[in-house]
Amino acid sequence: MQALSPALAGAPTPSGPQLSQHWKPTVVTDFSSLCKDGRMGEAISALTQMQSLNLHVGPDIYGTLLQGCVYERALPLALQLHADLIKRGPSFSQNHFLQSKLVILYAKCGAHDLATRLFRRHSRAQNVFSWAAIIGLQTRTGRCQEALSSYIQMQHDGLLPDNFVVPNALKACGALRWVMFGKGLHAFFVKTMGFHECVYVTTALLDMYGKCGALDDAERVFDSMRERNDVAWNSMVVTYAQNGVNEEAVRAFREMRLQGVQVTSVALSGFFKACANLEAVEEGRQGHGLAVVAGLGLELDNVLGSSVLNFYFKVGLVDEAEVVFENMATKDVVTWNLAVSGYVQFGLVGKALEMCFRMRERNLGFDCVTLSSLLAVAAETGALGLGMEAHAYCVKNQFECDVVVLSGIVDMYAKCGRLDCARRAFGGAGKKDVVLWNTMLAACAKQGLSGEALRLFFQMQLESVPPNVVSWNSVIFGLFKNGQVDEGRKMFAEMCSSGVVPNLVSWTTLMSGLAQNGLGYDALGVFRDMQDVGIRPNVMSIASALLSCTCMALLKYGKAIHGYVIRHDMYRSLHVITSIIDMYAKCGSLDDAKSVFGMCSTKELPVYNAMVSACSSHGQATEALEIFKLLEKEGMVADHITLTSVLSACSHRGLVKEGIEVFKYMVYELGMKPSEEHYGCLVKLLANDGRLDEALRTIWTMPSHPDAHVLGSLLSACGKNHDVELADYIAKWLLKLDPDNSGNYVAVSNVYATEGKWDNVSNIRNLMKEKGLRKTAGCSWIEVGQELHVFIASDRSHPKTDEIYITLDLLGFEMH
């Protein structure tokens, strides 16, 4: 035992009958103060001294000690005191006051089994305070249905809940999302107990409505509060943020500051979440500064620190996120997971893996979130080895039972090209929820396996898993990808008739599928229909609509969509800008493409690439080279797409010197490995300049076998330069490489025809007949009004063929 407290140690020790009369009040007073101050060691020493002096120690002393244990959450000491009470006999162990104290103590210390057993065994200990402790314990430990059952049982036993019980019951309703039960509690206590004036109850009510998504009810409670403490303001900010009403969350936070309410970690966490969702960079930075100025200890507060970390990652400020992470003194698994997933989001695979290694060095085990991030890294990078290691870790640590992790495993194998492994992982799942079914459906759809996707779609329904809108979207996507346009349309119609409301992804998938299958007008009709039903297009929808215009050269509609982009302030999207430039270029309006490029305030590499490609496709090689030099001047590094476009421009215009310089710059200065397309451009450039030997040597130095396009370029040049010997060599190589492509036979035939080798021409034609190959007819089209007119060589199927040929004859007569 520890030494006596100073108050007891310095006092003279009376003896005889004077003991109980003169000293006990002083001892009891001092003893109570020790317990309140948390000086439990000194309190126990005082108890021992009292016993040694033969002072009477009654239940009140033990009650004070137990209350001290409640303050300090001193469970081991409480267990010793409980044992001492049992030794002292029924007058202590059966004392309902002490039993109630023990129930409250065990409940506050989280000892669920002990608290529940003692509570149920001793009915006399069941008062309002012990009921409040039990209900609070059940709520804190996630036994929310038990908590609400206890709340009902308490009233059956004739006890009315107080302002400690009601908040815990409301908290249980919020955790369960039982808004109707919560509304019943609300009505009951307002009607019978008048708790609407209690700030603790109304704050709990506000929090419950927020967690249940009942924003209108939450706002009504908040507006009706006469006294709003910091907890109420915090709850309102968090409620808005949790329910995605981000603008209101920011507004409530500002209003709270104007009201002079002290800023807390809880309010700031909700504020940072809202700023992250809104990509409100400046507001989030100000919140960070406010947290630092208020001395809220970002380095030590995991929750607040993680909120700031998440904000910076969400708005793309990776450097700032790294600073916050490194300055955090205590990091739990949640914090590490935020860093890993943040790096994954921006494709920083190396840093994500480094974080995982650092976690292992600190003996932090991976949880489901970590593993899902690792699997996402493997899926996005095609790192099958990493994905298999993560899978093995899941199996070893029994994470495969988690459907989210299992969905990540299936997705990883599918994206790494191992659909067989994805099928095996999916088939081995015990319980399949709709997310897992959708992952497998999406994997099949992306591979164009529409038949298998449909089979899975019907199988999930047989296994009592109703498909949601994501399921329908995957099947529709798979059908369009496989070229089954009519089936894709029918599936969309069936989704609508089945009661599943198409979302933005559904409409965009339908529009994109029609555009990619050459049905541009139909795709634009879908673009109008989706707006008619109240769905506002996003960036992907706009890109799909522009693709429809690009594929069909529908310039008028492309301009209309450009106008929509301007009106709806969608110019900040790089994807939209590049799509507009590409549309104008491919619709023949290079001036409009240049105008869009010039008006673009922030030019990233994709915008430059689109403009270089536009100039290249229009034969303006000099301008393509100027833009290429401009992007270098702006400090950007060209990628494979940029270099392909520049080389193609040089190839088309015969700028041999410039093209070779660009190729050398790519290899020697940028350190890039040329792709087959780059080699193809260089071969064509050299061959068209008559440098056939250099072109052939370039082909031999290629790291992979040349494709038909590269060989075809050299073959065509052989004809122009009358090199029959090399033409024979290339022709044999080309026909062996791709024997079923009629275009290759035609190219070889044309070379022989140029040299007057008609026997060889005849042999090639006969070979085509034997193989059943026919030359693909040339095709052109023109748009008149909203109708597209297609013309094929020697085709007379157009309804106005006679009028067309008469007009052509007249034009021919005029020209002569």
Side-chain angles (χ1 to χ4, degrees):
M1 293 289 182
Q2 298 182 17
L4 293 173
S5 67
L8 292 176
T13 305
S15 59
Q18 295 178 341
L19 186 70
S20 60
Q21 297 174 4
H22 299 285
W23 207 37
K24 185 178 178 182
T26 304
V27 172
V28 172
T29 303
D30 185 72
F31 185 78
S32 178
S33 298
L34 291 173
C35 291
K36 285 181 180 178
D37 293 341
R39 295 154 65 186
M40 298 306 298
E42 294 180 48
I44 293 297
S45 296
L47 174 65
T48 304
Q49 185 67 28
M50 290 167 66
Q51 291 171 341
S52 67
L53 295 174
N54 294 323
L55 286 173
H56 174 69
V57 178
D60 56 333
I61 297 294
Y62 274 93
T64 304
L65 266 176
L66 291 172
Q67 187 60 45
C69 292
V70 172
Y71 293 145
E72 295 300 308
R73 302 296 190 265
L75 182 60
L77 178 58
L79 291 169
Q80 294 178 32
L81 289 172
H82 192 177
D84 194 30
L85 290 174
I86 293 171
K87 289 179 183 177
R88 286 181 172 272
S91 61
F92 282 81
S93 62
Q94 300 296 323
N95 184 289
H96 71 274
F97 170 70
L98 293 179
Q99 288 170 354
S100 176
K101 283 286 184 185
L102 282 168
V103 170
I104 295 169
L105 171 60
Y106 288 141
K108 295 288 186 182
C109 291
H112 180 270
D113 292 341
L114 286 172
T116 303
R117 195 181 308 125
L118 191 64
F119 180 76
R120 290 174 178 169
R121 186 184 301 162
H122 302 288
S123 58
R124 293 179 66 189
Q126 296 178 6
N127 53 31
V128 173
F129 304 107
S130 58
W131 273 108
I134 287 293
I135 292 171
L137 173 63
Q138 290 170 336
T139 303
R140 287 194 307 275
T141 55
R143 297 173 169 88
C144 295
Q145 292 191 33
E146 290 183 35
L148 294 177
S149 296
S150 298
Y151 175 82
I152 295 169
Q153 185 62 45
M154 173 186 180
Q155 294 179 74
H156 281 316
D157 292 348
L159 293 171
L160 285 176
D162 63 3
N163 59 344
F164 294 101
V165 175
V166 170
N168 280 313
L170 289 169
K171 185 177 179 181
C173 291
L176 293 168
R177 307 292 192 269
W178 285 7
V179 68
M180 296 312 295
F181 199 117
K183 285 187 174 184
L185 288 177
H186 186 182
F188 178 76
F189 69 66
V190 168
K191 182 177 180 181
T192 61
M193 291 173 279
F195 284 161
H196 58 281
E197 297 293 335
C198 176
V199 68
Y200 302 109
V201 174
T202 49
T203 301
L205 186 63
L206 172 63
D207 183 64
M208 181 274 296
Y209 279 131
K211 287 179 178 174
C212 292
L215 285 176
D216 291 341
D217 293 300
E219 288 173 336
R220 273 194 289 272
V221 171
F222 184 76
D223 293 340
S224 67
M225 292 176 70
R226 294 182 182 178
E227 178 188 352
R228 296 172 185 165
N229 60 4
D230 58 346
V231 178
W233 279 103
N234 290 343
S235 294
M236 205 63 234
V237 173
V238 172
T239 291
Y240 283 131
Q242 286 178 339
N243 287 278
V245 190
N246 302 300
E247 293 88 348
E248 288 299 312
V250 173
R251 183 197 58 76
F253 184 82
R254 285 173 178 161
E255 182 66 24
M256 181 180 82
R257 294 282 298 138
L258 291 173
Q259 295 292 331
V261 179
Q262 184 177 359
V263 176
T264 65
S265 299
V266 176
L268 274 169
S269 295
F271 176 71
F272 284 126
K273 182 176 182 178
C275 289
N277 292 335
L278 290 170
E279 296 186 3
V281 178
E282 289 306 314
E283 288 83 350
R285 285 182 186 275
Q286 291 171 17
H288 188 184
L290 188 61
V292 173
V293 171
L296 293 175
L298 286 170
E299 298 83 4
L300 301 174
D301 188 332
N302 258 340
V303 175
L304 184 57
S306 296
S307 298
V308 179
L309 180 67
N310 179 62
F311 160 72
Y312 280 126
F313 268 125
K314 282 280 184 72
V315 298
L317 299 176
V318 178
D319 292 340
E320 286 83 345
E322 288 175 340
V323 172
V324 171
F325 179 83
E326 296 301 337
N327 286 335
M328 290 177 70
T330 56
K331 306 179 186 79
D332 57 13
V333 175
V334 174
T335 310
W336 286 93
N337 285 342
L338 276 173
V340 174
S341 60
Y343 285 132
V344 171
Q345 176 188 349
F346 288 97
L348 300 171
V349 176
K351 290 193 173 185
L353 292 175
E354 181 189 342
M355 282 290 163
C356 292
F357 291 138
R358 288 174 64 183
M359 285 179 72
R360 298 297 291 159
E361 286 172 358
R362 289 160 176 75
N363 296 319
L364 284 169
F366 296 163
D367 63 6
C368 295
V369 179
T370 323
L371 287 163
S372 295
S373 295
L374 271 175
L375 290 165
V377 168
E380 295 305 317
T381 60
L384 181 60
L386 173 63
M388 293 179 77
E389 287 181 24
H391 187 186
Y393 185 93
C394 293
V395 173
K396 184 179 178 181
N397 295 276
Q398 299 180 337
F399 280 110
E400 271 193 315
C401 299
D402 188 290
V403 289
V404 176
V405 172
L406 189 54
S407 296
I409 292 169
V410 172
D411 184 59
M412 179 273 297
Y413 279 125
K415 288 180 178 175
C416 288
R418 293 299 303 272
L419 200 58
D420 56 332
C421 295
R423 291 189 187 103
R424 203 156 43 242
F426 177 78
K431 184 181 179 182
K432 301 182 181 79
D433 67 352
V434 69
V435 175
L436 185 56
W437 280 101
N438 285 345
T439 304
M440 196 64 221
L441 269 172
C444 293
K446 286 174 184 175
Q447 295 287 331
L449 302 173
S450 56
E452 187 171 351
L454 277 169
R455 182 185 62 77
L456 287 167
F457 182 76
F458 294 123
Q459 183 65 35
M460 68 187 291
Q461 296 174 70
L462 291 174
E463 295 188 19
S464 301
V465 180
N468 59 13
V469 67
V470 179
S471 319
W472 286 91
N473 290 346
S474 292
V475 175
I476 293 167
F477 176 82
L479 290 168
F480 277 114
K481 186 174 178 64
N482 203 37
Q484 296 171 273
V485 177
D486 291 339
E487 291 81 352
R489 282 173 153 172
K490 287 177 183 176
M491 204 70 184
F492 185 87
E494 284 181 26
M495 175 173 63
C496 299
S497 61
S498 69
V500 177
V501 179
N503 60 11
L504 178 60
V505 176
S506 311
W507 286 98
T508 304
T509 301
L510 177 61
M511 180 166 50
S512 177
L514 292 168
Q516 289 172 0
N517 283 278
L519 298 170
Y521 278 115
D522 292 355
L524 292 172
V526 172
F527 184 69
R528 289 191 296 270
D529 291 343
M530 68 186 291
Q531 295 174 73
D532 288 342
V533 298
I535 294 182
R536 182 175 176 176
N538 66 354
V539 169
M540 293 305 297
S541 310
I542 295 294
S544 295
L546 289 167
L547 176 64
S548 305
C549 302
T550 303
C551 294
M552 305 296 291
L554 305 176
L555 180 59
K556 180 174 67 174
Y557 295 100
K559 286 186 174 183
I561 294 169
H562 185 186
Y564 179 94
V565 168
I566 294 171
R567 289 194 304 275
H568 292 84
D569 194 26
M570 300 178 77
Y571 241 105
R572 287 176 289 182
S573 168
L574 287 177
H575 192 43
V576 169
I577 294 299
T578 53
S579 297
I580 291 173
I581 293 172
D582 186 59
M583 180 273 297
Y584 277 128
K586 290 180 178 174
C587 288
S589 182
L590 185 61
D591 289 340
D592 284 321
K594 290 177 180 177
S595 176
V596 172
F597 178 77
M599 291 171 61
C600 184
S601 56
T602 55
K603 296 183 180 73
E604 299 292 339
L605 184 59
V607 178
Y608 279 101
N609 285 349
M611 199 62 233
V612 172
S613 176
C615 292
S616 174
S617 63
H618 281 258
Q620 297 191 4
T622 305
E623 291 194 32
L625 284 167
E626 287 175 359
I627 296 169
F628 174 62
K629 291 174 183 176
L630 179 61
L631 74 88
E632 288 182 306
K633 187 178 178 181
E634 294 293 327
M636 298 180 194
V637 179
D639 61 7
H640 283 82
I641 299 171
T642 323
L643 294 162
T644 301
S645 297
V646 174
L647 285 169
S648 177
C650 294
S651 174
H652 284 129
R653 298 296 295 173
L655 302 179
V656 181
K657 179 184 175 183
E658 292 85 348
I660 292 174
E661 286 177 356
V662 169
F663 194 87
K664 288 180 178 178
Y665 171 79
M666 172 176 60
V667 175
Y668 299 113
E669 293 192 39
L670 296 182
M672 287 185 184
K673 290 184 178 180
S675 67
E676 203 166 274
E677 286 182 289
H678 299 138
Y679 277 110
C681 291
L682 183 61
V683 168
K684 187 175 181 181
L685 186 67
L686 294 168
N688 289 343
D689 195 47
R691 298 156 70 169
L692 301 181
D693 291 341
E694 288 183 56
L696 184 59
R697 281 197 298 272
T698 301
I699 289 176
W700 285 338
T701 59
M702 288 175 64
S704 60
H705 293 294
D707 61 9
H709 178 73
V710 175
L711 293 175
S713 297
L714 184 53
L715 179 65
S716 176
C718 289
K720 293 176 183 176
N721 289 277
H722 309 290
D723 192 333
V724 180
E725 184 180 353
L726 182 57
D728 285 335
Y729 174 74
I730 298 296
K732 290 175 184 177
W733 193 355
L734 180 61
L735 297 181
K736 184 179 178 181
L737 178 67
D738 194 1
D740 296 322
N741 187 338
S742 63
N744 295 336
Y745 292 88
V746 173
V748 173
S749 175
N750 289 340
V751 171
Y752 288 137
T754 302
E755 295 300 314
K757 294 197 171 190
W758 303 111
D759 290 340
N760 290 5
V761 172
S762 179
N763 290 336
I764 294 295
R765 299 292 183 182
N766 290 333
L767 190 58
M768 286 182 67
K769 288 179 182 178
E770 289 174 12
K771 289 181 169 290
L773 300 175
R774 296 183 63 185
K775 179 183 177 182
T776 304
C779 175
S780 57
W781 61 86
I782 186 171
E783 179 189 357
V784 179
Q786 293 188 357
E787 190 175 355
L788 195 71
H789 299 265
V790 180
F791 300 94
I792 299 173
S794 302
D795 176 33
R796 300 183 66 88
S797 61
H798 194 279
K800 295 188 178 181
T801 296
D802 294 338
E803 294 178 39
I804 291 169
Y805 276 96
I806 290 171
T807 304
L808 286 172
D809 290 338
L810 288 172
L811 287 171
F813 178 77
E814 291 292 333
M815 291 169 66
H816 287 295

